[in-house]
Amino acid sequence: MPTGRVKWFDKKKNYGFIIKDDDEKDIFFHVKGIKDPVLKNIISQDQKVVFAILKDEKGERAINIMPEL
């Protein structure tokens, strides 16, 4: 699974961006992409995360986001 760090996350708007470790490209994520709903309260800027990438008509987005252990 890809890894990265949270660039920023707006808890009011429920979305943010992750900077991927392998190419430093920003990838969008929505709170629905966080694996455990409880984690949305602890996701913070610069936090290391692992995630999957979903590609659709809007482009790439991160899903199944979890803190990197």
Side-chain angles (χ1 to χ4, degrees), residues 9-60:
F9 175 54
D10 187 321
K11 292 179 182 178
K12 291 181 182 177
K13 295 181 180 178
N14 289 325
Y15 72 89
F17 287 89
I18 294 170
I19 300 174
K20 293 170 34 180
D21 285 340
D22 60 353
D23 61 9
E24 295 190 10
K25 183 177 171 185
D26 288 359
I27 185 164
F28 172 84
F29 75 95
H30 189 272
V31 72
K32 292 178 188 176
I34 298 173
K35 187 147 180 131
D36 183 343
V38 174
L39 294 176
K40 77 175 190 174
N41 295 321
I42 62 170
I43 294 289
S44 61
Q45 185 174 334
D46 292 326
Q47 181 173 3
K48 296 287 287 175
V49 292
V50 295
F51 54 95
I53 296 174
L54 176 68
K55 294 180 183 179
D56 61 16
E57 66 278 353
K58 294 181 180 180
E60 292 184 341

